[in-house]
C-alpha cells in the first residue's frame, strides 16, 4: 500500500518538474522532497501504530486464554502452551504481520498466579531502516490472572506432616460441584473422593474421581485477617461461678441466647437445644451433643477457644445455619488459631451445616456411618487436617444461590480470567 502511494507521488512530482511553468518546477525542486518525505513518514507511522495496537490486542487475548489453566498446572506449562498456541494462530492469520519474539512468564500477584504475555514486534521502516535506525520496534504486554475457576469448598491448610487429608475405611467425600484442595497431601485408603476437581501440593493417592492433580500452587488461608482474638467475648477467662452454671440438659427444650458459654454445653437423652441468632462463644468447655439430643440454630456462628471443641455423636440431630450479616457472615463454626483439638462429627443425623467450618489449626474428624450435611445448600471446610473413617458420607454441596447465608470472600465461587496491571 505504501509502495503504491509513493509511486503515485513520484509520478506526480515528475509531471510538475516537466511543467512549462518554470517557477512551479523550481519551487517543487526545493519543497517536493520534503513533502514526499513527510507524507511517506506519516503513512509509515500510521501503519506502525496500527500494528502495535493489533499486537497488544493479541497479547491481551493470549493472556486471557492461558490464565484459566493456572488453576491446576504444576509449573504453568499448560497456561504457557495455551497462550502460545493462541499467539501463533493470530499471527498466522495476519497478512502483514511483523516479525516477533514471544515470552510467557508465570507470576505471583498477591498470592494468586498470573501469566504475563510479552510480544516484541519488529518491522522495517520505509527508509531502508535508517529512520528510525534499524526499523520499528514495539511491544504487546499483557498479564491475566485466573478467574471463573471451580468453587473452592474444601481447603486443607496444613503444610507439614503426612496424611493431612485422609479418607479411610469406607468413607465417602462427595463434592460434585466444587474443588477439594490440600496444601500438602491427599491419601484415600479404602474410601473415595468424588468432586468437580481435586488437587494437592505434594502427593495424592487412592480412589479419587476425577484423578487428582499434584504440584498445585498452595492456597493461603482465606480468613487469615479475621481477628478473633480481639473479640471481647473471648478476652477473659470464665469465673468459677460461670463454670459452675454450665448448661447440661437431658430433656425438654432449652433456648440459649447468644454470647459466652463458659464450661460448654452438654445435651444428651432427648434434650433439644435451640441457639438464638448471633455469635456463640464456647469457653473452657466442649459443645457435646449425644444420644438422642438435638441442636438447632439459624443465623448463628459458634466459636471455640483453645480449651473448647464440638463433639456430635450417637443418634444426635444437628442442624445449623451460619450467620447472615456482620463480621462473621457466612461462617457457621470456627476455632481460635491456637486451638489444636480434634473436632468430631460422628452423629447419625448431622443434617445441615450451612456455612464455613473454620478450624485452621485443628483436625476435623468425620466418623460413623451416616450421611453428613446432605441437607445443606452449601458447606465449606477450612481445616489444618481432616480425617474420615468408618463409613460416613460427607456431602459438600455448592448451591450458593439457594440461601441468604452469604459465601465469604476467598471460598466458594471464584470469578473468570481477567487482565491485571
Amino acid at each position: 500500500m505504501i509502495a503504491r502511494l509513493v509511486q503515485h507521488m513520484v509520478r506526480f512530482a515528475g509531471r510538475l518538474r516537466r511543467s512549462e511553468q518554470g517557477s512551479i518546477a523550481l519551487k517543487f525542486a526545493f519543497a517536493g522532497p520534503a513533502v514526499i518525505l513527510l507524507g511517506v513518514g506519516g503513512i509509515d507511522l500510521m501503519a506502525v501504530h496500527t500494528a502495535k495496537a493489533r499486537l497488544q490486542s493479541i497479547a491481551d487475548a493470549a493472556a486471557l486464554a492461558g490464565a484459566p489453566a493456572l488453576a491446576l498446572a504444576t509449573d504453568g506449562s499448560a497456561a504457557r502452551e495455551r497462550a502460545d498456541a493462541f499467539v501463533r494462530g493470530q499471527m498466522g492469520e495476519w497478512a502483514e504481520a511483523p516479525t516477533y519474539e514471544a515470552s510467557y512468564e508465570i507470576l505471583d500477584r498477591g498470592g494468586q498466579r498470573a501469566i504475563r504475555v510479552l510480544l516484541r514486534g519488529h518491522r522495517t521502516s520505509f527508509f531502508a531502516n535508517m529512520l528510525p535506525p534499524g526499523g520499528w520496534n514495539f511491544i504487546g504486554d499483557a498479564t491475566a490472572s485466573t478467574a471463573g475457576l471451580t468453587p473452592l469448598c474444601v481447603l486443607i491448610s496444613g503444610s507439614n506432616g503426612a496424611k493431612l487429608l485422609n479418607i479411610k475405611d469406607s468413607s465417602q467425600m462427595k463434592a460434585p460441584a466444587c474443588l477439594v484442595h490440600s496444601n500438602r497431601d491427599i491419601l484415600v485408603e479404602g474410601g473415595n473422593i468424588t468432586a468437580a476437581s481435586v488437587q494437592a501440593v505434594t502427593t495424592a493417592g487412592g480412589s479419587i474421581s476425577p484423578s487428582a492433580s499434584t504440584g498445585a500452587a498452595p492456597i493461603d488461608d482465606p480468613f487469615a485477617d479475621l481477628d478473633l482474638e480481639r473479640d471481647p467475648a473471648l478476652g477473659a477467662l470464665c469465673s468459677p461461678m460461670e463454670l459452675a452454671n454450665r448448661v447440661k440438659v437431658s430433656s425438654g427444650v432449652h433456648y440459649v441466647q447468644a454470647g459466652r458459654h463458659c464450661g460448654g454445653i452438654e445435651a444428651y437423652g432427648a434434650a433439644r437445644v435451640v441457639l438464638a441468632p448471633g455469635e456463640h462463644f464456647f469457653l473452657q468447655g466442649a459443645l457435646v451433643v449425644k444420644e438422642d439430643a438435638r441442636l438447632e440454630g439459624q443465623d448463628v456462628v459458634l466459636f471455640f477457644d483453645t480449651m473448647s471443641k464440638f463433639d456430635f455423636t450417637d443418634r444426635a440431630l444437628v442442624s445449623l445455619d451460619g450467620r447472615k450479616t456482620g463480621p462473621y457472615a457466612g461462617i457457621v463454626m470456627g476455632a481460635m488459631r491456637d486451638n489444636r483439638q480434634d473436632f468430631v462429627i460422628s452423629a447419625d443425623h448431622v443434617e445441615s451445616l450451612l456455612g464455613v467450618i473454620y478450624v485452621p489449626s485443628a483436625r476435623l474428624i468425620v466418623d460413623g456411618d451416616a450421611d453428613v450435611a446432605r441437607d445443606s445448600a452449601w458447606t465449606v471446610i477450612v481445616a489444618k487436617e481432616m480425617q474420615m473413617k468408618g463409613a460416613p458420607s460427607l456431602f459438600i454441596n455448592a448451591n450458593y444461590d439457594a440461601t441468604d447465608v452469604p459465601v465469604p470472600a476467598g471460598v466458594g465461587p471464584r470469578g473468570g480470567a481477567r487482565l491485571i496491571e
Side-chain angles (χ1 to χ4, degrees):
M1 180 179 69
I2 296 176
R4 289 197 300 271
L5 182 57
V6 171
Q7 290 173 0
H8 288 310
M9 295 177 70
V10 170
R11 285 198 294 269
F12 177 70
R15 288 197 299 270
L16 286 177
R17 284 195 299 271
R18 292 190 298 271
S19 172
E20 294 178 357
Q21 301 177 4
S23 62
I24 297 176
L26 182 61
K27 290 177 182 178
F28 186 83
F30 291 102
V35 171
I36 294 174
L37 184 66
L38 289 173
V40 173
I43 295 169
D44 204 21
L45 280 172
M46 184 179 299
V48 170
H49 178 76
T50 300
K52 182 180 185 301
R54 183 166 180 177
L55 195 70
Q56 181 62 52
S57 297
I58 292 174
D60 289 345
L64 291 171
L70 293 172
L72 301 178
T74 301
D75 56 1
S77 59
R80 286 191 288 265
E81 289 171 3
R82 288 188 187 182
D84 183 61
F86 184 90
V87 169
R88 290 177 182 275
Q90 293 296 307
M91 298 300 288
E93 295 175 4
W94 189 348
E96 297 178 1
T99 59
Y100 75 98
E101 294 179 357
S103 64
Y104 310 95
E105 182 182 6
I106 306 303
L107 308 173
D108 186 335
R109 293 294 179 86
Q112 185 175 29
R113 292 204 297 175
I115 181 171
R116 182 188 183 193
V117 176
L118 180 62
L119 305 179
R120 300 183 183 275
H122 175 80
R123 64 181 300 162
T124 59
S125 69
F126 179 76
F127 303 103
N129 281 345
M130 291 186 295
L131 186 64
W136 297 99
N137 296 301
F138 45 92
I139 65 172
D141 189 0
T143 302
S145 63
T146 54
L149 305 176
T150 305
L152 174 63
C153 57
V154 176
L155 170 58
I156 304 305
S157 58
S159 57
N160 295 311
K163 299 185 179 182
L164 294 194
L165 177 52
N166 188 203
I167 311 299
K168 303 178 66 173
D169 305 325
S170 300
S171 304
Q172 299 182 59
M173 177 185 289
K174 301 179 180 181
C178 55
L179 167 66
V180 176
H181 171 96
S182 172
N183 277 346
R184 182 69 178 180
D185 61 346
I186 300 173
L187 181 59
V188 179
E189 301 176 292
N192 63 76
I193 297 175
T194 57
S197 183
V198 182
Q199 63 184 38
V201 171
T202 56
T203 62
S207 179
I208 302 173
S209 179
S211 298
S213 296
T214 57
I219 297 178
D220 293 335
D221 182 347
F223 309 117
D225 294 332
L226 191 64
D227 195 351
L228 302 176
E229 284 74 8
R230 289 188 178 181
D231 199 299
L234 293 170
L237 293 176
C238 298
S239 68
M241 182 175 294
E242 287 177 316
L243 292 172
N245 291 329
R246 66 186 291 264
V247 175
K248 185 175 181 179
V249 293
S250 61
S251 62
V253 180
H254 301 267
Y255 295 90
V256 178
Q257 296 302 309
R260 289 160 53 95
H261 306 307
C262 289
I265 294 176
E266 182 177 349
Y268 60 101
R272 179 187 175 202
V273 174
V274 180
L275 302 178
E279 288 86 36
H280 293 260
F281 299 93
F282 290 83
L283 312 174
Q284 297 177 245
L287 169 62
V288 178
V289 186
K290 60 184 182 180
E291 298 177 356
D292 295 299
R294 300 167 62 96
L295 175 68
E296 302 169 24
Q298 303 286 320
D299 191 14
V300 297
V301 60
L302 287 58
F303 279 115
F304 301 86
D305 74 353
T306 57
M307 294 178 279
S308 304
K309 62 179 182 177
F310 62 73
D311 194 350
F312 306 146
T313 64
D314 303 327
R315 299 167 301 281
L317 184 148
V318 177
S319 180
L320 300 171
D321 289 2
R323 285 292 274 154
K324 299 178 182 179
T325 59
Y328 307 129
I331 299 177
V332 64
M333 292 190 289
M336 302 288 285
R337 291 193 175 83
D338 54 356
N339 186 322
R340 294 175 174 79
Q341 309 255 11
D342 285 346
F343 290 77
V344 179
I345 299 174
S346 63
D348 289 346
H349 305 289
V350 181
E351 298 174 348
S352 178
L353 295 172
L354 175 53
V356 177
I357 301 172
Y358 179 56
V359 288
S361 300
R363 180 169 61 169
L364 177 65
I365 298 175
V366 181
D367 198 354
D369 58 6
D371 292 348
V372 176
R374 178 190 285 272
D375 295 338
S376 304
W378 64 269
T379 302
V380 170
I381 294 172
V382 179
K384 179 183 178 182
E385 301 180 43
M386 182 173 177
Q387 182 184 83
M388 294 184 66
K389 57 184 180 179
S393 293
L394 174 63
F395 291 83
I396 310 293
N397 296 320
N399 192 2
Y400 304 111
D401 295 329
T403 174
D404 53 359
V405 176
V407 185
V411 295
R414 297 181 287 172
R418 59 186 178 89
L419 293 173
I420 59 178
E421 296 296 331

